[in-house]
Amino acid sequence: MEQKLQEILQRIDRKLQAECGRVGEKIPYTTQNGRYETDMRDVNLSWWTNGFWAGMLWQMYSATGRDLYRKTAEYSEKAMDEALKRFEGLHHDVGFQFLHTAVADYRLTGNKESRVRALHAATLLAGRFNTACEFIRAWNLDKTGWMIVDCLMNIPLLYWAGRELQDPRFADIADLHAHTAMKLLVREDGSCNHIAICDPATGELLEIPGGQGYGPGSSWSRGQAWAIYGFALAYRHTGKKEYLDTAKNTAHYFIANTALTGFVSVCDFRAPREPVYWDTTATACAACGLLEIAGAVPEPEKALYREAAVKMLTALEERHCDWDEERDSILQDGTEAYGKEDGTHIPIIYGDYFFVEGILRLLEKGFMIW
C-alpha cells in the first residue's frame, strides 16, 4: 500500500505542476473541455469554493517544498482581499475561503498580512452568530434563521482565531454552533439533515427542508461528509467527547451506505435507485474525516476508520481519477446537488482538494489546514 500511495502522490505532483503552469493567477472551480477555462475572480470572487485551489497547493508545498505551489497559491489569497472589501458577497463559508488561503499561508510562512486577512474573516464569521438560535446563520438575504451542516467545516477558523488572539469568544461561538448542529441536524441513526430553519427572533424550529439532497428526510451524502469531518475537527479543537461520539455515529452511517456501492458514495443515500448520481467529492471529504477520527481513537477502532478511508480513496483513484497531464482536474464525477443536471458528474475543485489531503494524510505528509 505504501508504494501505491507514493505512486499516486507522484501522479498528483506531476499533474498539479502542469495545472499550475496553465492556471496561472486564475481561481478554478470546474472544467470546460478538460481545462480550467473559467476564472472565478471574474464570475464570483466571493464564491464559497475559491479557497480550495490554494489549499491544495499549500498542502503540496508543505509535502514537497516546491516553490511553484507557494507562488501559485498566493495569487488566490491576494485576490480574496477584494472580496473582504466588498463584504456583501461573503457569508458562512469564509472558513473554506480563508483557512485554505490566509491561515495556511500564515501557518507555513509566518506572513503577517495573511494573519490579518484571516482574523478579519474570523471576525465576520463570528458576527453571523444568532444568539436566539445559537448558531451561525447560513447564506445572506432572507435566510436569517437558517443553519446548514456545511458550516461545521467553517468553525475551525473560529477555533484558530480564538487561540491566536487568546480570546474565548470565538471558541464559545463555535461550540454553541456545533452543539446546535448536533441537536437539529443529526438524526438518531447517524444520518443528517442539510438545513434547519428557525425563527431568528425566538430560536423556535420551523422547518427541516431537503436542501441539496433528494428531498425532506433524505440523506445528502456530502452533508453527511461535512458532519463526519466537522464534528471530528470540533473534537480536535475542544477535546469534547460528545463531538467525537457524533462524528463516529455519522461515520458509521456513511460507511454502511458506501459499502453497498463499492465505497464510492451516491449523491443521496435515500434517493431512488435510478437514476444513479455519484458524488465523489462526498467520498473524498468523508475519507478525510475518517482519518481524523482514526487519529483520535485507540486500536482496534483506529483500524476500522483508517481501513474504510483507504477503501474509499482507493476506489476513487481506480475508478474516478483522470491522470492525463494535458487535462485539468483529477477527481471526476462530483455532483453539486441532487438533480442539478449541469452540476452532475463533473470535476469540482473541492473534490481534488479532499482527495489530495486524504492521500497525504495516509502518507503522513499532510498539513493540518483546519
Side-chain angles (χ1 to χ4, degrees), residues 11-327:
R11 288 182 173 185
I12 290 170
D13 192 18
R14 289 194 300 267
K15 180 143 188 175
L16 288 182
Q17 287 184 72
E19 287 185 8
C20 284
R22 290 190 291 266
V23 169
E25 297 186 17
K26 293 179 183 176
I27 299 179
Y29 175 58
T30 187
T31 61
Q32 296 81 36
N33 304 313
R35 290 291 178 90
Y36 288 133
E37 297 177 356
T38 299
D39 185 352
M40 292 304 294
R41 296 179 304 174
D42 300 327
V43 176
N44 183 352
L45 184 58
S46 298
W47 187 239
W48 73 277
T49 68
N50 284 356
F52 283 106
W53 168 245
M56 179 165 52
L57 301 185
W58 283 119
Q59 289 281 7
M60 291 300 291
Y61 172 72
S62 177
T64 69
R66 295 192 192 281
D67 209 42
L68 171 66
Y69 293 135
R70 178 187 63 80
K71 289 180 177 178
T72 309
E74 287 173 347
Y75 293 136
S76 295
E77 180 182 349
K78 291 174 182 176
M80 292 299 291
D81 277 347
E82 182 61 27
L84 286 171
K85 291 178 184 178
R86 295 177 189 177
F87 174 70
E88 289 186 337
L90 298 174
H91 48 64
H92 63 272
D93 280 328
V94 292
F96 283 137
Q97 294 164 323
F98 290 93
L99 280 166
H100 293 260
T101 54
V103 175
D105 189 349
Y106 175 62
R107 282 172 166 162
L108 289 173
T109 74
N111 186 332
K112 293 182 179 179
E113 291 183 1
S114 299
R115 178 180 182 273
V116 171
R117 290 183 181 106
L119 291 174
H120 190 171
T123 303
L124 292 177
L125 186 59
R128 300 181 64 85
F129 186 72
N130 181 302
T131 56
C133 300
E134 295 191 333
F135 60 59
I136 296 166
R137 66 156 295 186
W139 297 306
N140 293 327
L141 301 176
D142 60 342
K143 295 178 173 58
T144 53
W146 291 47
M147 83 171 303
I148 59 175
V149 70
D150 318 39
C151 199
L152 286 164
M153 295 295 293
N154 287 284
I155 61 175
L157 179 64
L158 298 179
Y159 291 122
W160 169 81
R163 288 192 302 273
E164 193 68 22
L165 296 175
Q166 297 184 358
D167 187 336
R169 294 176 302 159
F170 293 93
D172 288 346
I173 289 171
D175 281 349
L176 286 166
H177 178 89
H179 184 79
T180 303
M182 285 193 300
K183 181 174 66 174
L184 297 185
L185 298 180
V186 180
R187 306 179 185 124
E188 187 175 351
D189 67 354
S191 66
C192 295
N193 298 304
H194 179 200
I195 300 170
I197 303 175
C198 296
D199 184 315
T202 68
E204 178 189 0
L205 179 63
L206 302 176
E207 184 182 357
I208 302 286
Q212 289 172 242
Y214 174 70
S218 68
S219 180
W220 178 47
S221 62
R222 194 164 76 249
Q224 193 75 26
W226 296 145
I228 296 167
Y229 204 177
F231 283 116
L233 289 167
Y235 174 75
R236 168 186 279 267
H237 288 290
T238 67
K240 293 184 177 180
K241 186 175 181 294
E242 61 181 344
Y243 296 150
L244 181 59
D245 289 343
T246 304
K248 290 162 66 174
N249 192 25
T250 56
H252 298 163
Y253 182 88
F254 195 100
I255 293 169
N257 278 277
T258 53
L260 300 175
T261 53
F263 288 96
V264 176
S265 53
V266 293
C267 180
D268 193 305
F269 295 128
R270 293 179 180 171
R273 292 188 177 183
E274 299 291 339
V276 176
Y277 295 133
W278 300 104
D279 185 10
T280 56
T281 73
T283 312
C285 177
C288 292
L290 294 175
L291 293 173
E292 181 67 22
I293 296 173
V297 298
E299 295 288 5
E301 277 189 285
K302 186 184 297 292
L304 183 156
Y305 296 107
R306 181 181 171 85
E307 288 172 11
V310 168
K311 288 179 180 179
M312 291 177 193
L313 291 168
T314 301
L316 292 177
E317 193 277 328
E318 291 176 349
R319 307 204 305 264
H320 297 279
C321 283
D322 180 352
W323 295 113
D324 185 345
E325 293 170 26
E326 296 301 314
R327 295 170 57 85

